[in-house]
Amino acid sequence: LAKRSGRNSFRFYSKDLTASAEERMRLESDLRRAIERGELELHYQPKVLLDSGAMIGSEALLRWRHPVMGMVPPVRFIPVAEDTGLIVELGRWVLREACQTAAELNADGRIPHKVAINLSVKQFQSAGLIKSIAEILEETGCRAEWVEIEITESLLLDQKDETLHMLSELRSMGFSIAIDDFGTGYSALNYLARFPIDTLKIDRSFINSVDKRNEELVKAILSIARCLGQSVVAEGVETTEQAAFLAANGCGTAQGFLYSKAVPKGDIMALWRRSPANGFDPAKIEFRG
Ligand code: C2E
Ligand code: MG
Ligand code: MG
Ligand code: MG
């Protein structure tokens, strides 16, 4: 019996492995064609000021509408894109699309709307990143001041001079730099003093739990940011209690399902047109579910 179940479980195991390897290959070859087939879309999740609820920007989040599998979430295809190097091409598409949207959102010249764009470590390792970003600004008429670049702690892990130079150059072009998922990486904190970082984005795992210890950690992160003159965005805010706690402890900006999920370009344009400068308060009218 033991032998039989052992053999069975081995069979299931190897079958699962085959399936997932197959799925990866499938995703990879489909992903290669996704751009030209127009299957990719960028959605935008509003960022709001915690005290007033006013929208001040958004984060561009990639969506893939697969013809057979439907919406494939980024957690499934971004790692495949990173392993195969496809992320460089995808990332360039994302940059161009997001900068185009930022240019349109800011066309009326009232208060700036900053679009945050996620960049993978692989993009920083590829040749010509800065040059291609400069070209995209030129092409789209987007100003660097309208864009925040989100990086992860893993980019800063080995504290390379090369990385420092690239971030400094992006900063001097006018981009702001945010650390995404702050507090979940394995980096030493001393990178915060060495690298030019404007914003810490507190990972949603700290926000979503009502745990007392997490509250203390959030306060500690807010205090670090205050000392270093950085702004803070809390991600994954889902309840009014979480928003109240963050506001009471001096967190400036929030993003989360409490306000809105990521929406298509047309919707973010419409929301922005009706946002506070035009007498619209998203916190009171449209975003809250
Ligand atoms: P991220 O950059 O940390 O983005 C935030 C993720 O949290 C998004 O998931 C967003 O939809 C989700 N989220 C926002 N508010 C809430 C909330 O209140 N509750 C919950 N449960 N989730 C919330 P999404 O869009 O599935 O993206 C997942 C990750 O995929 C992103 O995490 C980012 O690391 C990566 N990603 C997405 N788009 C891009 C891209 O264009 N380039 C790169 N390199 N990575 C991307
Ligand atoms: Mg992000
Ligand atoms: Mg994040
Ligand atoms: Mg996160």
Side-chain angles (χ1 to χ4, degrees), residues 199-276:
T199 307
L200 304 183
K201 286 193 81 176
I202 308 178
D203 189 67
R204 70 163 186 267
S205 59
F206 295 101
I207 309 295
N208 278 342
S209 153
V210 284
D211 188 276
K212 194 75 204 155
R213 278 169 187 257
N214 275 337
E215 285 193 2
E216 293 307 321
L217 286 172
V218 169
K219 286 189 208 168
I221 294 170
L222 287 164
S223 157
I224 290 171
R226 221 168 4 249
C227 292
L228 297 175
Q230 292 157 340
S231 56
V232 177
V233 179
E235 61 173 31
V237 177
E238 294 182 352
T239 69
T240 47
E241 289 74 20
Q242 290 161 1
F245 167 79
L246 290 161
N249 287 282
C251 181
T253 308
Q255 186 183 335
F257 295 166
L258 174 63
Y259 308 99
S260 174
K261 62 181 181 27
V263 298
K265 177 176 175 176
D267 292 356
I268 199 76
M269 298 285 298
L271 288 171
W272 179 244
R273 273 195 297 273
R274 283 175 286 141
S275 68

Side-chain angles (χ1 to χ4, degrees), residues 61-95:
L61 293 161
L62 192 52
R63 300 289 178 258
W64 180 17
R65 213 181 283 278
H66 189 281
V68 178
M69 291 185 275
M71 276 290 193
V72 186
V75 289
R76 267 180 72 206
F77 72 84
I78 297 275
V80 175
E82 286 179 330
D83 290 350
T84 56
L86 271 173
I87 192 71
V88 174
E89 195 190 337
L90 282 188
R92 207 179 299 124
W93 182 88
V94 167
L95 277 160

Side-chain angles (χ1 to χ4, degrees), residues 59-61 116-118 150 180-181 201 235 255:
E59 176 175 9
L61 293 161
I117 306 176
N118 294 283
E150 293 193 6
D180 205 353
D181 306 331
K201 286 193 81 176
E235 61 173 31
Q255 186 183 335

